[in-house]
Amino acid sequence: MGIRMPAKRTTVRDLRRHNRSLLLSKLYFDGPLSRHELSGLTGLSAATVSNVTAELGEERLITEAGLVESDGGRPRVLLRVDPAYGHVAGVDIGETGVKVELFDLAMNRLATVEHPLASPRPDAAAAVTQVASGIREVITESGIDEATVLGVGVGVPGTVEQGSAEKGSVEQGGAVRVHAPTIGWKEVPLTDLLRSEGVELPLFVDNGAKTQGQGEMWFGAGRGARHAVIVLIGSGVGAAVVTDGTTYRGSTSSAGEWGHTTIVYGGQECRCGSRGCLESYVGAEGVLARYRKARGGKNASDEDEQTQFAALLEAAAKSKAAAKVLEETAGYLGAGIGNLINLFNPERIVLGGWAGLALGEEYLPEIRRVAGEHALAHVFDQTEIELGQLGPDAVAIGAATLPVAALLDQGADPRTAGSKRGTAA
């Protein structure tokens, strides 16, 4: 006989929060909408919708957005989330640089700064200094008051250890540690370091592939899909697995390390210390290493990694060595995507990341063809494979959605309410 757990009582406060969250989310993603439409779409009574929207209006979270004709009655007022309510910042800590962007609540970009990092194995303290500087710069450049910033989302190239004792949950105020062995980070106390640099805004930290995934699901190529995998290919490789609209995290939030699945048994060494990882064959660093080897140790160019990768793509038209390396890369990537299709049965796979987009623009038909050869036929036929729509800013855009998600989930300002989405501190 199993042990019966006591049912959790739903309080009036829980119900109020749920109703606020439901209406805010519906207005954010589908607005502007009238109160009548909100009632029909959410199943809430007209009285509840009226009371909650009045409350949200008093807090200036929502605003009127014109009128719409009704059948035989007075025109109905349209409502939407007010873009001017606050601002959010998104940070992409990559292996080659730091990007910081500032948005209003409608995700209109107001300012962007980029700082290169001196090494593909960046020192954590140096990266944090660049992040803190970038946050100050975008606030100054946009001319906004820092007090209007709801929070800062940060996408990182590694596993994020949640600041809560409850696995997979988030508690505002908890310390966040980042494990990124491929760049030499071990238990980096990221939020503590940012606080020591003078960043006092609410912080939300997540793996960069997952923030890219949320950005593409909200505003890009994943929109409308319930089951999707959004892959990130830059220097390294990752993925966000979305099922029933929720990112799958696993028991310790490290799910999605697709780059460290084995594509070649006993293959070339990966930065993680293993051999034959997909990342070592399709990540930009691994691709450029194979090209360098084919050219007797000569780099594609003397510039940074992204410039070298672009030079490799350009060289393919006249260099057999370049063409062979890229065709092999498309093959490995197609096989890896075939594995994702067999494992997760997604309706859509989105290829993103700066290297993934560059490669996909030239080789997407070949990637699709190889994926079809390695996936079960009836599953592959039901899967779309598309390029991401948010471009190289996808990680930063997705990171900026983390404080927005906290606002929508809680139905309240993340500056004054704890969050259980992303990793907040």
Side-chain angles (χ1 to χ4, degrees), residues 6-294:
K8 184 177 183 294
R9 291 183 60 188
T10 301
T11 65
V12 172
R13 183 180 178 183
D14 292 334
L15 187 61
R16 174 177 172 270
R17 185 179 120 183
H18 168 77
N19 292 342
R20 285 172 61 96
S21 171
L22 185 60
L23 291 171
L24 264 179
S25 296
K26 187 58 66 175
L27 286 171
Y28 189 79
F29 291 112
D30 301 322
L33 296 165
S34 68
R35 292 177 177 82
H36 178 74
E37 289 172 318
L38 283 169
S39 180
L41 290 168
T42 62
L44 298 177
S45 70
T48 297
V49 170
S50 180
N51 290 337
V52 174
T53 55
E55 187 178 274
L56 294 172
E58 287 175 7
E59 296 170 24
R60 299 188 178 179
L61 263 168
I62 65 174
T63 187
E64 294 185 0
L67 302 171
V68 64
E69 294 295 328
S70 62
D71 297 331
R74 290 185 301 174
R76 293 190 176 116
V77 175
L78 293 174
L79 302 172
R80 65 170 179 167
V81 173
D82 190 349
Y85 174 78
H87 302 89
V88 290
V91 179
D92 175 5
I93 300 179
E95 296 168 352
T96 57
V98 168
K99 177 180 291 186
V100 183
E101 299 193 315
L102 186 75
F103 304 86
D104 66 16
L105 207 53
M107 298 306 292
N108 297 306
R109 186 181 290 102
L110 304 179
T112 301
V113 298
E114 292 189 61
H115 293 296
L117 293 169
S119 164
R121 306 286 190 277
D123 176 70
V128 165
T129 298
Q130 298 287 37
V131 170
S133 174
I135 292 169
R136 289 189 288 269
E137 286 175 59
V138 293
I139 290 173
T140 300
E141 182 182 325
S142 63
I144 68 160
D145 184 343
E146 183 175 326
T148 67
V149 180
L150 307 184
V152 178
V154 185
V156 297
T159 300
V160 177
E161 182 182 333
Q162 311 290 359
S164 164
E166 182 186 348
K167 288 182 179 179
S169 76
V170 180
E171 298 292 345
Q172 202 160 19
V176 174
R177 295 182 179 273
V178 177
H179 303 262
T182 57
I183 61 170
W185 289 16
K186 183 179 180 181
E187 296 187 13
V188 170
L190 189 67
T191 50
D192 288 345
L193 290 174
L194 284 166
R195 296 296 183 220
S196 70
E197 286 283 342
V199 179
E200 298 178 354
L201 295 164
L203 296 170
F204 301 79
V205 184
D206 208 345
N207 169 267
K210 291 185 176 70
T211 70
Q212 175 193 263
Q214 181 155 297
E216 289 286 356
M217 292 299 294
W218 280 26
F219 305 115
R223 189 169 170 85
R226 290 178 59 82
H227 302 277
V229 181
I230 294 87
V231 304
L232 182 153
I233 301 176
S235 296
V237 174
V241 179
V242 178
T243 179
D244 280 327
T246 301
T247 300
Y248 177 71
R249 295 184 172 275
S251 64
T252 59
S253 199
S254 69
E257 290 293 341
W258 176 54
H260 300 292
T261 57
T262 302
I263 198 76
V264 178
Y265 174 70
Q268 60 195 40
E269 188 173 356
C270 180
R271 298 182 299 175
C272 72
S274 186
R275 286 190 171 273
C277 293
L278 180 67
E279 178 174 298
S280 64
Y281 290 88
V282 305
E285 184 172 312
V287 174
L288 290 171
R290 290 208 319 279
Y291 185 47
R292 188 162 51 246
K293 183 178 179 180

Side-chain angles (χ1 to χ4, degrees), residues 335-361:
I337 287 175
N339 289 339
L340 289 175
I341 292 171
N342 290 339
L343 278 169
F344 298 110
N345 184 26
E347 60 194 278
R348 193 174 305 160
I349 287 181
V350 178
L351 176 57
W354 63 265
L357 292 171
L359 189 66
E361 286 175 3

